[in-house]
Amino acid sequence: MFGKHRLRVAQFARYLSSSAGLAGLPPTLKTVIKAGVDGSDVNITGWVRSVRVQKRIAFAEVADGSTLRGIQIIMDDPQMASKLTTGCAVQITGRLVNSPGREQNKEVQAERVEVIGPSDSESYPLQKKRHTLEFLREIGHLRPRSQTIGAVTRLRDCAEMGIHKFFHENDFVRIHTPTLTSNDCEGGGETFNLITSGTKRPETDFFGRKVNLTVSGQLHLEVFTGAFKRAYTFNQAFRAEPSQTGRHLSEFWMVEAECAFVDRLSTLLDVEEEMIRSTTQHMANAAENDLGFFLKDNEPLAKLVRRLSDNQQYPRITYTEAIDILQQADAKAKFVYKPKWGHGLQSEHERYLATVHFEGPVFVTDYPVDIKPFYMLPNADGRTAACMDLLVPGPCELLGGSLRDHNYERLQNKVEQLGFEEGSLDWYVQLRKFGTTPHGGYGMGFERYLQMLTGLDSVRDIISFPRHAGRCQY
């Protein structure tokens, strides 16, 4: 029996060495706990979350970012904890043992404790007590050490991997679209303009024309849809929007995809829906503990995640049907903005449709053409566009897209009527002259997707360093 135990311990030691992959890198807690064998020697590195010293024993929780919860360190001699403070970096040598506790299955019996980087306990702002997310935003350089932001960060990493996995499994090619551009895609004018310091004409001297930070990679992605039937991008986007709501950022990440040879809006909806479903399923499988941290004691959110993941098609209604639903509900809902055909849906309208009426995701299609961007394909009725928004509880509008207008003359007329800078979109319109196809695409705000899954009120707690009007710290 003891021979088999020694064999398992030896195998565990070899596993830690090989799983680290690179000689010299210490194993993560995730690796140690996953492969842990009772009685094996371990070397733990991380940061102290809490310390508790009693008369004959001391305890500490150490975390390294690889797991939701840290690992408990037991010190039979309280003097071993004499230099430990919350926030300090440590290296602990000891034995991995089975834990009788309910919240962890392994703990470390410490034999040696070394402080690698001390932390001033008097001024360290993160304590074991619960901190508000607003407070954590004020200490953005330290908030990754909190349990909530740590869980968000791992979910963010997992979601990105899930999105890439979906696209690559379905033969999409990733395109790196530019950050600097001479167009603002939707013509809204809410752009950050590039200025070169020390020149007489700072807006035009360097590039010879006005240049801004991109608000979307869509137009550039369409270039590649003339050579690749399926293309996507996962890039940063920037909007100089002064809104201070929990749904808006000045710097954020967008997932955008374009598909050639697509002439039915329903086909595009199928792609979008399967991306959401596949990514959510991936997260439920690969990040169960972190996702569970947000779903615990929140049955409506857990129900939403299950709905996003199941194989039942998301409801699909037209804009006209949405207006009818909202007008019928107005007497009870008492909307501030009265729903009216030809007007955009307000946040209160989107929230009602997703949260109250459908209690889950719902596609709204065929909006009036006059309230949508120039590149969207008009429907045969001449009044509506072949477009959609995906509405969900939480952030409301999660995703938007359309079939793209592939008619050269019609698109040229639109560009001229809207008064874009002369020649600035010639390259885009010219795509319709050389082997154009019916095509379509969409964009999803990455932070909004995670906001939906975590139930957090603000996207400022989803992104590592939030930038918004009046705030660009660090």
Side-chain angles (χ1 to χ4, degrees):
M1 183 177 98
F2 293 107
K4 290 182 178 179
H5 178 74
R6 283 193 292 271
L7 176 62
R8 289 198 300 270
V9 171
Q11 289 172 336
F12 171 61
R14 286 196 298 271
Y15 176 80
L16 290 183
S17 176
S18 63
S19 64
L22 303 176
L25 280 182
T28 64
L29 287 180
K30 181 179 180 180
T31 298
V32 171
I33 294 170
K34 182 179 179 181
V37 177
D38 184 35
S40 55
D41 294 332
V42 293
N43 193 322
I44 299 295
T45 53
W47 294 268
V48 173
R49 276 186 175 171
S50 63
V51 183
R52 183 161 49 96
V53 180
Q54 298 178 357
K55 189 175 182 180
R56 291 188 173 88
I57 195 171
F59 303 90
E61 181 187 358
V62 173
D64 72 350
S66 63
T67 58
L68 177 64
R69 292 183 175 86
I71 193 166
Q72 179 168 261
I73 310 299
I74 303 172
M75 294 159 279
D76 289 336
D77 181 1
Q79 279 299 113
M80 298 174 73
S82 61
K83 294 184 179 180
L84 296 185
T85 58
T86 304
C88 71
V90 295
Q91 180 175 355
I92 295 171
T93 304
R95 286 185 302 107
L96 191 69
V97 296
N98 293 328
S99 173
R102 290 183 299 177
E103 294 190 354
Q104 70 275 328
N105 58 11
K106 300 291 182 201
E107 57 191 24
V108 174
Q109 191 78 43
E111 296 172 356
R112 184 172 180 270
V113 175
E114 180 183 0
V115 174
I116 304 298
S119 175
D120 181 7
S121 59
E122 295 297 321
S123 59
Y124 186 66
L126 284 173
Q127 300 299 326
K128 192 172 182 179
K129 67 178 183 179
R130 183 179 180 86
H131 296 290
T132 66
L133 293 172
E134 290 78 11
F135 170 77
L136 291 176
R137 285 180 218 141
E138 298 301 316
I139 53 168
H141 58 303
L142 294 173
R143 74 173 186 164
R145 303 187 188 190
S146 69
Q147 192 173 45
T148 299
I149 301 303
V152 167
T153 303
R154 286 185 297 275
L155 284 176
R156 189 182 178 97
D157 175 66
C158 185
E160 181 173 352
M161 295 299 291
I163 287 169
H164 290 309
K165 179 174 178 285
F166 165 77
F167 282 125
H168 289 169
E169 287 180 348
N170 290 282
D171 294 337
F172 282 77
V173 177
R174 184 181 183 181
I175 308 300
H176 294 108
T177 53
T179 298
L180 301 181
T181 179
S182 57
N183 69 76
D184 68 352
C185 187
E186 298 186 3
E190 297 171 335
T191 61
F192 289 102
N193 296 324
L194 196 70
I195 294 179
T196 306
S197 60
T199 61
K200 294 181 180 179
R201 294 178 299 166
E203 289 188 336
T204 59
D205 271 3
F206 192 87
F207 290 103
R209 67 190 312 166
K210 291 183 178 180
V211 171
N212 53 266
L213 299 182
T214 183
V215 298
S216 168
Q218 178 204 316
L219 303 191
H220 298 99
L221 202 55
E222 284 190 60
V223 170
F224 279 83
T225 316
F228 297 82
K229 286 196 291 188
R230 303 176 185 185
Y232 81 105
T233 184
F234 195 129
N235 278 4
Q236 284 172 292
F238 307 84
R239 291 197 181 183
E241 184 175 346
S243 175
Q244 293 287 355
T245 75
R247 299 185 301 132
H248 294 92
L249 291 166
S250 298
E251 177 186 40
F252 52 96
W253 289 79
M254 287 288 291
V255 180
E256 298 177 272
E258 293 289 326
C259 306
F261 299 95
V262 173
D263 59 3
R264 295 172 63 88
L265 188 63
S266 59
T267 301
L268 202 56
L269 267 63
D270 291 340
V271 175
E272 296 162 349
E273 183 172 323
E274 191 53 37
M275 182 193 73
I276 298 293
R277 179 178 293 111
S278 173
T279 304
T280 307
Q281 288 173 343
H282 172 80
M283 295 179 68
N285 294 331
E288 180 181 5
N289 290 338
D290 288 312
L291 192 56
F293 174 74
F294 294 101
L295 303 186
K296 184 180 179 181
D297 301 325
N298 190 337
E299 180 53 31
L301 186 59
K303 181 181 178 182
L304 172 61
V305 172
R306 291 194 297 269
R307 178 67 186 92
L308 292 168
S309 303
D310 67 33
N311 292 323
Q312 184 180 354
Q313 187 182 78
Y314 302 167
R316 302 176 179 188
I317 61 172
T318 66
Y319 165 87
T320 301
E321 291 170 333
I323 293 296
D324 289 342
I325 292 171
L326 293 168
Q327 288 178 339
Q328 292 175 25
D330 186 37
K332 186 176 181 179
K334 294 181 169 47
F335 297 118
V336 175
Y337 296 93
K338 300 305 177 185
K340 184 177 179 181
W341 205 99
H343 292 213
L345 297 182
Q346 300 293 321
S347 295
E348 60 178 339
H349 303 148
E350 296 172 342
R351 188 175 300 110
Y352 178 86
L353 290 169
T355 306
V356 179
H357 190 84
F358 289 97
E359 297 183 341
V362 54
F363 281 107
V364 179
T365 67
D366 305 301
Y367 285 75
V369 70
D370 292 338
I371 63 173
K372 286 298 181 179
F374 74 97
Y375 51 75
M376 292 188 174
L377 180 70
N379 285 321
D381 61 13
R383 301 177 68 223
T384 61
C387 63
M388 93 295 290
D389 285 339
L390 177 60
L391 309 181
V392 295
C396 299
E397 182 189 340
L398 174 64
L399 178 155
S402 73
L403 297 181
R404 313 310 191 191
D405 196 342
H406 54 279
N407 182 286
Y408 173 78
E409 289 79 13
R410 184 169 56 210
L411 191 61
Q412 181 67 53
N413 289 336
K414 287 182 187 177
V415 169
E416 292 174 357
Q417 291 170 7
L418 290 171
F420 284 97
E421 182 183 348
E422 186 175 355
S424 64
L425 287 176
D426 284 355
W427 60 273
Y428 178 72
V429 176
Q430 197 178 81
L431 294 173
R432 276 65 180 168
K433 292 178 66 176
F434 306 116
T436 189
T437 73
H439 63 286
Y442 62 91
M444 180 185 78
F446 185 54
E447 283 77 22
R448 287 193 180 187
Y449 172 68
L450 288 166
Q451 182 187 17
M452 171 186 66
L453 293 183
T454 60
L456 295 178
D457 291 332
S458 176
V459 289
R460 297 173 188 177
D461 302 314
I462 301 296
I463 197 166
S464 303
F465 298 97
R467 276 81 168 92
H468 52 88
R471 185 86 171 185
C472 186
Q473 199 173 3
Y474 311 109

